[in-house]
């Protein structure tokens, strides 16, 4: 019997690293990861004894939270109550109402493989889930779901990302196969605000200006909107030849942005997105690191880079140097979620 | 990744066979001659008992590792050592579980087999894991069949438990309702527009076993009869597509091994178990035990048994099937698959119209011949376009574009992204079959990863004769074959694959073992085509006569702008087939829109009907999902 | 005379040393087993019990123990194959004659088709050349005879006439046998069973039908066998309470009439439904069903009908009487059968008809017993008719020898004044739910001018009330018996099976009413329906009742169930003023079994399950009703 | 007076007797107690012929259910037996047999061959009459004129003087056909079964009948009109009746209730001849051989024989036998 992986996690302490970072400013956010320790290539039915799913950053590492679920993609919180967590996973939407002690798979047989979930910023009983074949919406905290796809195309609504506009209730942007779609009435109807041939992989709202949004796509490069997502412009400084996976703002510094791409590695901008520089030195992998996901810590500006199948890295100098997060070797981090701490 | 590799778990199991399995290593079973109920029943049960016995014998007292769920099920099926079994269960359940739906259905079986034998502790231990262990539902039809059948049965076994007592936080009633809704939905699809993972070499186990469990254990009589009917349906389909028990023709999803050695597939276990007409694969296909432990609760309908065993008359079956779900890059979620299967005593010819049905594991067409003993024999001939594409995978898998190919070649199945692959379908292939003539046309963009066609020439062919006419003649068993490449080609020998140890259940490495006899006809041209015709040795005075007959047939073709063929077949049909256009036979266009769900002498069902009629001689069985009715009729 | 020696095999095979687990054991649980796999396992365990019991009682030490049943079973178990062949060869040296020899031989021939030595198989085949086989003269004889002939002709096709005792070729034998079987099935599925509700003969039908279902090569005949088997068992299921057959019987015997459990039917209930113990030696016949039993699966819907007595139900069926060669305007008039089943008791009857010259049983009220063995859980009355004319009407005989012959051949009960088996020309019966009225109008000069009422040893609190009612309690049933004419009591003496030379005293009394114009009224109720016995008695007493016996017996009454009944001997009974019109009766009508006269189609229903046996199209249909 | 002339007629008939051809004496005997269907037959049953030495020789199949036998006058190797199964036919003197009927005929009571059309065979069954015109290869019912019910047929006898002229003894009476059973008409009405019909070997116009409840009957016009013998009681069933081939004045009746009744004056007077018969002398059948010896088969006992037409009786061989038929069979033509 090998000990469960989350025990191993606790062995390696992060004090050395995170200690000095958190020394700068007291951490006011909790960090949650959706991660797996199976090289992201787990065979259905295989047994590798690892603990996977949702992890929460603690003083001495990352603690596995709740269900051991190898294919958890993203976690979303109820802005009113951080005890309420929605996790998009292969089986559907997992929900906890008590901070992860008890869970319920709230979706049924006709919802599968959600990638992204958003909670309405005003009416947080309203939850939006993106599926490979469209959108389902719940108006009772995920207890029940209805398809709400008026305005979405019959085909081409593979949905990779769902984001709620924090500034206005009922306003949600989704990234689909055929473009970016917007609803302003809680998904009663949708309209396309940007057309693509391939999937829109990520959409982020600026922490500094709610009207500013950035989207990254598989084959249309990166896009920016200054009017709350109504219109989009290509960001010139970024390549469109290969898929871009996700983008991150720095909540402390509007000039700092990070972007992850399998083909280009980690790209950073320090001038609000006008120019971008690869910051791959020190990241693993021969040639360009397979950057799967990136995030910027809202408390201290530390950049996180998840390298496919090769663990988690942090940089305190905007990507100029990287350090592996101990005991995260081999982890595949799917998404990062920062949540305002329950206690300051 | 996980999604398309599930089956390799079976292949893993297929390879482990430590101790003797009578039927696997023994002589070929004699074709059944006594069709009396008692004779069929006795032999059927004897085969199931052989499997159970083999697992019971596999338990080594000093080695707990040899005492797993399968052995437990075998013991319970024989009502042996309930105490020891219970103790072992408590032990096994004391650690974290894994394997998802592959865990769910075995422990569901154990729970039912043991419900009157196991100690309360053992039952509680299993039940406890249904709270603490969170199995994934997976993303394929076979995963869901196992997942929801298990969930359904467990929630009937523990009918009134609260939400908190189940892994997914739903009450017994909620789980039962959800599982039933899905299973009914799935049966509805399969009985109206066709089976998704059609003609499965391995996945038949993933469907037949859950259906047997429903038929055996479901308390709700509706689900019980549905399970029974669907099991009949699957086995009727199997019977119709096997020759001497070996599955033929196209497959939605298969693997590198089964596509060459057609016998080496889980489907052969089911042929052996249910029809008694071929040996079972090693370890009874790994899954066999899970059917065997409940086999006594099912009786193979005589009409299906006879359909599997009677090849006295040639027959042509046309079926409608369904592609895998395409999430992206497609105008339709699931495309129709038009499957043709022509069966003769000496050989079988099967195909679908080409195009994509599954990103990785599909097999589009082949001509396979009967052999006295199929074990180790590569009794097949076909060609493929070796197609590998991230976009293809993205259309079926909810994944980002880049990692899949990389993973496959680095650690998954190196056979996916290689120029000499023999498995898989292609968007650039169009196939038409008329009886025992197959025309496969290719129009591969120059920019494609591998703009070439691979034709498979088996080590078991004899008299392979490239002819000045352009035809390549050969003989397999009692079958004459003629293969016509439409573009220049050269020969390569086939590389092998070696399985490496891996906790994930699969890890393969390509190895060049030199020329082992199997050859690849490689035609490195995007505009291309293959024509194959087959005939029984008995139909011609000698090989020369067959060759002369083929040569004498009018044949015109051109490759530009798109490949097109005009020819007369050995059966005298005038065929005109152009890539991207409807084929014509004797001047008449083939209208696929008119195809029924099943059409032929043995299986018939109208599209959308939910009703299958199985016919063999004077026997008829009708499975009607509209009225949940099974009807057995004898025509006087 | 041979015609009435029925459970011959029971006699032949009953004696056997080894213990029979289920025979001696406490009665099995009657709780239904809803799970198909557990049900099947239990069924197979019972089958194995029979097989191993007989197998262990036979073998080398005493080859005589290796009768055909033992051989068939040893072959099934793949035991002592050499000995089996030896014994077959030996026994085929002087074969028996007729269906009772034919079907065991056919059983061995088929079970052993791959196991017996060529010599043994040839010995069987040769016996079918050398020894003339009598066809017998009853439906059960013919079912066995023609099934056996059919299967042998299929086993040895294309053989010339001179190789068969019948002097007909394989094809001729096959055709003749098929024609009869089809005719019989046709008759039975359109006008009802001849030997209906059989206490013993069920074996004579079920076994041949199982043979056909298992071995017939012609799929049509195979299907018919299967369907008839289901048909027979559906009827058994609908007429048993706790596995014990109830109500009227076309042909039965003393043992089974008094001790209802004590019949071959109980073996089939035990084997198929698991809800009552089997009779000793598994009824002998059981040994020929068991070797093939695993090739038959009892349809769940039939199992549920047999084991579910949650709801009271009435089944009304039609049946046929035995053929009247003489003294009748009809060859085989219809019997109208009513069966009312409740958890605590059952009430069954025909309208009172001479369905069989010797072995008929017209009606009874029987109650449930925790353990039916040795219990005489029944109440009924009859006219003890003994009539040369009746015998002549159904047998090809002269007037005198028959009665003498019957008694001479060991059925003294037939011509005894105190007999309890048999039907009479002079009885008319009407039943409504759990009320039975039997009226008698005996012709002057009849051999035994009195009525016998059976009062079981197992009744308690038998109370002769001044109201004229006799109250009693049997199990959880209250009973009220009203004789319409004066009576006296006598000890009941039992002649086992009717052929025991010596009568034995098993307890119980006969109510003897020596009057030509006569009648009996019986009403029953569950103990749970009344505060106490007194309350039941009061309720019965309170019911309006008028009757007169001249010119013919007639009764006007209100039943415990509040029905107003008027019934006069020879006239159609009236319920609440409405005439009963038997002509309207279906072949089967009730919650579980339904079929039209002439329909050749039986619908078996329980809950959401339905099975339809349609002989018009040779179709078996299983349906689950969605809820 | 009418009777007297009849008796004269009988005497006249005696004249023709001198030329009577030699004949075989054949019986159907069951030597078997408590036989029930399925039990093993330990004795020889069925056809016996008395040989020159006076011994009974069994021939044919061992069958306990035979009720009657008939021979093809042209060739005695062609034998027909009425049996429980129906009609058995042998073409080789009883070596091999064929069951000629199918399931639709059962419990044959009597069988007769037309001496003037010997391919024609008449079979009496429980529910009517079946006829074959091809030596029983095929049988068809011919019941036109017989009643729907009441045609239980116990006896069938062909008039040896005319092809196609046949009398049948049924439940409802005696029926006559003169066109080989194309049409029947009732010539005597009975309420119970007519058990036996016999044509006189001395005068073909003279016929006798034994009935269950109408006593014994005689017809002197070939069976068209019938009269009861006053001297024969009618309250009990008469099982069979026979002529003495050696003496036209001698007649005998077998009866369960009366035992043996004989007349030695052509039927004018009758006496019981039971002295020396055992028990309750329940006589099943009487018969007479060519020499005029009288036989009586007693139910539950055995076969008795009398050399003085019933005055004294001695047990014959075939101990324990019950005889269903005595047949005096003229030697075959060839």
């Amino acid at each position: 019997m090998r000990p469960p992986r989350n025990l191993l996690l606790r062995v390696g302490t992060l004090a050395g690293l995170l200690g000095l970072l958190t020394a700068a400013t007291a951490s006011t956010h909790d960090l949650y990861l959706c991660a797996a320790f199976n090289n992201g290539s787990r065979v259905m039915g295989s047994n590798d004894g690892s603990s996977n799913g949702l992890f929460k950053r603690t003083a001495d590492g990352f603690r596995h939270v709740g269900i051991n679920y190898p294919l958890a993609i993203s976690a979303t919180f109820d802005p009113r109550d951080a005890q309420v967590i929605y996790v998009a996973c292969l089986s559907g939407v997992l929900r906890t109402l008590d901070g992860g002690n008890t869970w319920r798979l709230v979706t049924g047989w006709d919802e599968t493989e959600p990638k992204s979930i958003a909670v309405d910023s005003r009416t947080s009983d309203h939850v939006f889930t993106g599926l490979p074949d469209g959108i389902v919406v719940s108006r009772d905290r995920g207890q029940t779901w209805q398809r709400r796809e008026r305005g979405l195309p019959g085909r081409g609504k593979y949905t990779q990302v769902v984001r709620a506009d924090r500034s206005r209730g009922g306003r949600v942007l989704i990234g689909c196969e055929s473009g970016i779609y917007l609803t302003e009435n809680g998904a009663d109807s949708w309209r396309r605000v940007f057309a693509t041939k391939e999937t829109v992989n990520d959409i982020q709202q600026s922490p500094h200006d709610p009207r500013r949004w950035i989207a990254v796509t598989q084959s249309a490069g990166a896009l920016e909107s200054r009017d709350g997502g109504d219109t989009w412009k290509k960001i010139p400084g970024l390549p469109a030849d290969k898929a871009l996976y996700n983008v991150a703002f720095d909540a402390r510094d509007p000039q700092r942005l990070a972007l992850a791409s399998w083909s280009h590695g980690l790209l950073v901008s320090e001038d609000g997105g006008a120019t971008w520089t690869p910051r791959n030195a020190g990241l693993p992998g021969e040639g360009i690191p397979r950057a799967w996901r990136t995030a910027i810590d809202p408390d201290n500006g530390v950049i996180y880079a998840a390298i496919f199948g090769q663990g988690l890295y942090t940089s305190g100098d905007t990507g100029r140097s990287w350090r592996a997060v101990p005991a995260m070797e081999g982890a595949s981090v799917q998404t990062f979620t920062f949540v305002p701490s329950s206690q300051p | 990744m996980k999604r398309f590799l599930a089956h390799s778990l079976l292949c893993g199991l297929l390879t482990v066979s430590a101790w003797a399995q009578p039927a696997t290593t023994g002589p070929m079973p004699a074709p059944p001659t006594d069709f009396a109920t008692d004779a069929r029943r006795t032999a059927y049960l004897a085969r199931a008992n052989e499997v159970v016995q083999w697992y019971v014998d596999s338990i080594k007292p000093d080695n707990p590792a040899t005492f797993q769920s399968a052995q437990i099920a075998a013991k319970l099926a024989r009502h042996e050592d309930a105490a020891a079994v219970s103790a072992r269960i408590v032990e096994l359940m004391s650690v974290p579980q894994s394997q998802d739906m592959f865990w769910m259905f075995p422990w569901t079986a154990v729970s039912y087999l043991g419900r009157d034998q196991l100690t309360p502790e053992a039952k509680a231990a299993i039940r406890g894991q249904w709270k603490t262990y969170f199995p994934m539902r997976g993303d394929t039809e076979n995963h869901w069949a196992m997942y929801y059948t298990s969930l359904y049965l467990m929630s009937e076994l523990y009918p009134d438990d609260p939400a908190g007592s189940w892994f997914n936080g739903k009450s017994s009633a909620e789980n039962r309702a959800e599982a039933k809704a899905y299973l009914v939905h799935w049966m509805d699809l399969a009985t109206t527009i066709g089976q998704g993972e059609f003609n499965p070499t391995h996945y038949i186990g993933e469907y037949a076993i859950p259906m047997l469990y429903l038929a055996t254990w479901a308390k709700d009589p509706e689900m019980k009869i549905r399970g029974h009917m669907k099991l009949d349906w699957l086995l009727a389909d199997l019977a119709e597509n096997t020759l001497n028990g070996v599955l033929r023709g196209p497959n939605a999803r298969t693997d590198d091994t089964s596509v060459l050695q057609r016998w080496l597939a889980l489907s052969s276990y089911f042929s052996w178990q249910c029809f008694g007409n071929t040996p079972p694969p090693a370890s009874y296909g790994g899954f066999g035990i899970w059917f065997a432990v409940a086999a006594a609760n099912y009786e193979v309908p005589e009409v299906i048994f006879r359909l599997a065993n009677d090849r006295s008359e040639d027959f042509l079956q046309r079926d409608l099937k369904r592609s895998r779900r395409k999430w992206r890059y497609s105008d339709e979620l699931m495309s129709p698959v038009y499957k043709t299967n022509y069966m003769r005593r000496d050989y079988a010819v099967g195909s679908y119209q080409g195009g994509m049905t599954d990103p990785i594991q599909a097999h589009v067409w082949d001509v396979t011949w009967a052999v006295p003993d199929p074990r180790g024999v590569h009794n097949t001939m076909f060609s493929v376009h070796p197609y590998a594409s991230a976009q293809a995978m993205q259309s079926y898998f909810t994944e980002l574009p880049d990692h899949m190919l990389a993973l496959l070649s680095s650690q998954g199945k190196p056979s996916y992204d290689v120029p000499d692959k023999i498995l898989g379908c292609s968007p650039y292939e169009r196939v038409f079959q008329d009886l025992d003539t197959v025309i496969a046309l290719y129009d591969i963009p120059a920019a494609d990863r591998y703009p070439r066609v691979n034709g498979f020439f088996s080590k078991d062919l004899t008299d392979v004769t490239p002819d000045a006419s352009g035809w390549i003649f050969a003989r397999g068993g009692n079958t004459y074959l003629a293969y016509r490449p439409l573009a220049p080609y050269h020969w390569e020998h086939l590389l092998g694959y070696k399985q490496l140890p891996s906790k994930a259940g699969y890890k393969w490495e390509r190895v060049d073992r030199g020329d082992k006899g199997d050859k690849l006809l490689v035609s490195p041209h995007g505009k291309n085509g293959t024509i194959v015709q087959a005939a029984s040795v008995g139909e011609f005075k000698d090989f020369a006569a067959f060759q002369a007959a083929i040569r004498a047939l009018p044949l015109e073709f051109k490759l530009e702008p798109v490949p097109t063929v005009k020819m007369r077949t050995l059966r005298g049909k005038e065929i005109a087939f152009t890539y991207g256009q409807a084929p014509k036979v004797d001047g008449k266009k083939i209208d696929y829109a008119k195809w029924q769900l099943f059409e032929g002498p043995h299986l018939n069902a109208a599209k959308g009907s939910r009703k299958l009629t199985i016919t063999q001689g004077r026997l008829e069985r009708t499975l009607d999902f509209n009225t949940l009715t099974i009807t057995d009729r004898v025509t006087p | 005379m041979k015609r009435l020696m029925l459970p011959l095999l029971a006699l032949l095979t009953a004696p056997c040393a080894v213990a029979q687990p289920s025979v001696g054991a406490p009665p099995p649980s009657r709780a239904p087993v809803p799970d198909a796999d557990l049900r099947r396992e239990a069924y197979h365990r019972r089958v194995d019990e029979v097989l191993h019991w007989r197998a262990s009682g036979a073998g080398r030490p005493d080859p005589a123990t290796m009768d055909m049943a033992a051989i068939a079973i040893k072959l099934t178990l793949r035991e002592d194959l050499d000995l089996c062949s030896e014994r077959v060869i030996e026994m085929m040296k002087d074969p028996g004659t007729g269906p009772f020899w034919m079907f065991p031989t056919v059983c061995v021939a088929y079970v052993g088709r791959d196991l017996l030595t060529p010599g043994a198989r040839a010995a069987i085949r040769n016996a079918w050349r050398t020894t003339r086989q009598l066809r017998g003269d009853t439906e059960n004889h013919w079912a066995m005879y023609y099934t056996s002939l059919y299967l042998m002709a299929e086993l040895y096709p294309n053989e010339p006439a001179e190789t068969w005792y019948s002097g007909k070729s394989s094809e001729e034998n096959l055709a003749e046998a098929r024609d009869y079987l089809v005719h019989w099935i046709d008759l039975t599925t359109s006008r009802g069973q001849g030997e209906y509700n059989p206490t013993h003969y069920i074996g004579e039908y079920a076994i041949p039908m199982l043979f056909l279902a298992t071995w017939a090569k012609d799929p049509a005949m195979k299907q018919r066998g299967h369907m008839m088997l289901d048909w027979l068992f559906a009827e058994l299921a609908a007429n048993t309470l706790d596995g014990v057959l109830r109500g009227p019987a076309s042909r039965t015997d003393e043992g089974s009439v008094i001790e209802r459990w004590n019949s071959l039917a109980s073996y089939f209930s035990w084997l198929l439904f698991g809800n009552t113990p089997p009779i000793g030696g598994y009824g002998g016949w059981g040994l020929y069903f068991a070797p093939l039993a695993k090739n038959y699966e009892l349809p769940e819907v039939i199992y549920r009908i047999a084991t579910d007595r949650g709801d009271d139900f009435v089944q009304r069926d039609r049946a046929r009487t035995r053929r009247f060669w003489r003294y009748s305007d009809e060859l085989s008039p219809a019997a109208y059968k009513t069966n009312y089943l409740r958890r605590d008791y059952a009430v069954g009857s025909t309208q009172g008809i001479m369905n069989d010259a010797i072995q008929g049983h017209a009606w009874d009220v029987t109650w449930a017993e925790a353990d039916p063995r040795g219990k005489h859980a029944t109440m009924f009355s009859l006219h003890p008719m003994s009539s040369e004319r009746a015998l002549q009407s159904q047998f090809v005989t002269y007037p005198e020898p028959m009665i003498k012959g019957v008694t001479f051949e060991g059925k003294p009960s037939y011509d005894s004044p105190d007999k309890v088996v048999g039907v009479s020309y002079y009885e008319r019966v009407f039943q409504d739910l759990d009320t039975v009225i039997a009226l008698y109008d005996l012709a002057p000069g009849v051999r035994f001018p009195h009525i016998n009422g059976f009062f079981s040893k197992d009744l308690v609190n038998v109370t002769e009330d001044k109201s004229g009612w006799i109250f009693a309690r049997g199990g959880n049933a209250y009973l009220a018996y009203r004789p319409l004419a004066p009576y006296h009591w006598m000890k009941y003496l039992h002649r086992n099976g009717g052929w025991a030379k010596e009568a034995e005293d098993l307890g119980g009394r006969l109510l003897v009413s020596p009057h030509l114009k006569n009648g009996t009224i019986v009403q029953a109720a569950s103990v749970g329906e009344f505060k106490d016995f007194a309350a039941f008695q009061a309720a019965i007493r309170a019911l309006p009742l008028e009757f007169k016996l001249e010119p013919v017996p007639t009764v006007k009454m209100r039943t415990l169930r509040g029905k107003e009944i008027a019934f006069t001997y020879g006239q159609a009974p009236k319920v609440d003023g409405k005439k009963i019109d038997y002509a309207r009766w279906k072949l089967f009508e009730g919650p579980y079994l339904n079929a039209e006269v002439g329909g050749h189609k039986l619908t078996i229903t329980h809950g959401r399950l339905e099975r339809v046996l349609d002989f018009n199209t040779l179709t078996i249909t299983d349906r689950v009703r969605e809820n | 007076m009418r009777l007297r002339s009849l008796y004269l007629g009988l005497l006249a008939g005696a004249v023709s007797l001198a030329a009577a051809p030699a004949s075989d004496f054949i019986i159907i005997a069951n030597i078997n107690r408590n036989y029930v269907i399925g039990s093993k037959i330990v004795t020889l049953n069925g056809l016996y012929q008395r040989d020159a030495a006076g011994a009974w020789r069994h021939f044919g199949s061992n069958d306990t259910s035979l009720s009657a036998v008939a021979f093809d006058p042209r060739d005695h190797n062609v034998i027909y037996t009425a049996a429980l199964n129906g009609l058995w036919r042998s073409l080789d003197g009883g070596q091999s047999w064929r069951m000629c009927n199918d399931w639709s005929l059962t419990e044959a009571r009597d069988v007769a061959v037309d001496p003037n059309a010997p391919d024609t065979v008449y079979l009496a069954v429980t529910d009517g009459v079946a006829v074959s015109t091809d030596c029983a290869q095929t049988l068809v019912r011919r019941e036109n004129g017989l009643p729907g019910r009441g045609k239980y047929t116990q006896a069938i006898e062909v008039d040896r003087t005319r092809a196609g002229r046949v009398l049948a003894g049924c439940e409802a009476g005696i029926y006559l056909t003169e066109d080989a059973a194309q049409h029947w008409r009732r010539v005597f009405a009975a309420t119970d079964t007519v058990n036996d019909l016999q044509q006189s070997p001395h005068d073909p116009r003279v016929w006798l009948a034994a009935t269950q409840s109408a006593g014994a009957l005689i017809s002197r016009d070939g069976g068209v009109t019938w009269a009861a013998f006053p001297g024969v009681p009618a309250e009990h069933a008469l099982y069979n009746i026979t002529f003495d081939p050696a003496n036209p004045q001698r007649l005998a009746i077998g009866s369960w209730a009366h035992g043996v009744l004989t007349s030695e004056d052509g039927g004018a007077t009758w006496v019981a001849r039971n002295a020396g018969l055992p028990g309750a002398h329940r006589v099943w059948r009487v018969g007479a051989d060519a020499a005029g010896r009288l036989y009586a088969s007693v139910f539950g006992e055995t076969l008795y024989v009398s050399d003085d037409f019933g005055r004294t009786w001695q047990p014959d061989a075939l101990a324990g036998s019950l005889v269903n038929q005595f047949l005096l069979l003229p030697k075959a033509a060839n």
Side-chain angles (χ1 to χ4, degrees), chain B residues 141-142 145 186 195 197 203-211 234:
Chain B
E141 285 188 36
N142 70 82
W186 168 69
Q195 196 164 325
E197 293 174 337
Y203 295 123
I204 182 162
E206 273 105 321
Y207 293 106
I209 292 166
M211 292 306 106
L234 290 164

Side-chain angles (χ1 to χ4, degrees), chain C residues 321-462:
Chain C
T321 64
R322 183 180 184 141
R323 284 189 292 199
F324 286 83
W325 296 127
R326 284 180 277 197
Y327 306 137
S328 163
D329 296 342
E330 278 183 86
L331 180 62
S332 100
Y336 300 96
K337 186 165 143 290
T338 304
N339 213 355
Y340 180 55
L341 287 176
R342 309 189 77 196
R343 188 190 306 274
D344 293 330
Y345 60 91
V347 184
S349 65
T350 66
Q351 79 276 32
I353 186 165
M354 238 290 295
N355 55 53
D356 181 272
I358 299 167
Q359 299 166 251
H361 175 60
W363 64 274
D364 59 23
V365 178
T366 62
W367 58 88
E369 289 277 3
D371 185 342
R373 288 168 289 194
K375 294 292 196 320
H376 299 172
T378 182
M379 173 179 272
F380 59 88
S381 74
L382 78 160
H383 163 233
M385 183 173 82
S386 173
S387 154
E388 293 172 342
R389 186 180 175 84
L391 292 169
Q392 274 198 291
S393 71
Q394 294 182 331
F395 299 103
V396 290
T397 179
Y398 299 104
E400 299 90 347
M402 193 78 185
I403 289 177
K404 299 291 175 292
V406 176
T407 53
F408 165 76
E409 285 209 357
K411 209 149 166 53
S413 69
Y414 176 74
D415 196 37
S416 321
D418 58 350
K419 71 178 185 176
V420 291
V421 167
V423 287
S424 166
Y425 284 129
Y426 312 112
E427 181 181 45
R428 298 290 180 272
V429 184
F430 176 66
Q431 169 185 355
D432 184 84
L433 297 176
D434 40 18
T435 300
V436 177
I437 305 173
L439 301 178
Y440 303 90
D441 188 5
L442 311 188
V446 292
R447 187 164 166 78
F448 302 124
H450 65 268
I451 302 308
N452 294 333
F454 181 77
F455 278 67
S456 162
K457 66 179 172 63
D458 297 306
L459 287 171
V460 293
N461 310 332
V462 180

Side-chain angles (χ1 to χ4, degrees), chain B residues 28-75:
Chain B
M28 280 296 288
T33 52
D34 188 339
F35 290 91
T37 305
D38 57 342
R40 282 185 289 115
R41 187 70 181 162
T42 306
Y44 170 81
L45 292 176
R47 291 189 291 265
N49 291 336
E50 178 185 318
V51 182
V52 171
Q53 181 66 51
W54 184 71
Y55 273 86
V56 167
D57 293 345
S58 73
I59 302 170
K60 304 279 166 284
D62 49 351
N63 178 4
T66 63
F67 197 172
Q68 302 293 339
S69 58
Q71 286 77 10
I72 286 167
K75 283 277 193 187

Side-chain angles (χ1 to χ4, degrees), chain A residues 42-43 104-105 107 111 155 198 218 245, chain B residues 2 99 137 170 174 326 329 394 398 402 506:
Chain A
R42 187 168 181 286
V43 175
R104 173 181 171 96
L105 186 63
T107 43
E111 294 93 20
R155 296 289 299 165
E198 294 184 286
Q218 179 160 327
Y245 281 20
Chain B
K2 59 209 171 283
Q99 299 189 345
R137 184 171 62 176
K170 292 180 179 176
E174 289 175 302
K326 299 177 196 177
Y329 307 125
Q394 272 198 292
T398 60
D402 304 297
Y506 69 94

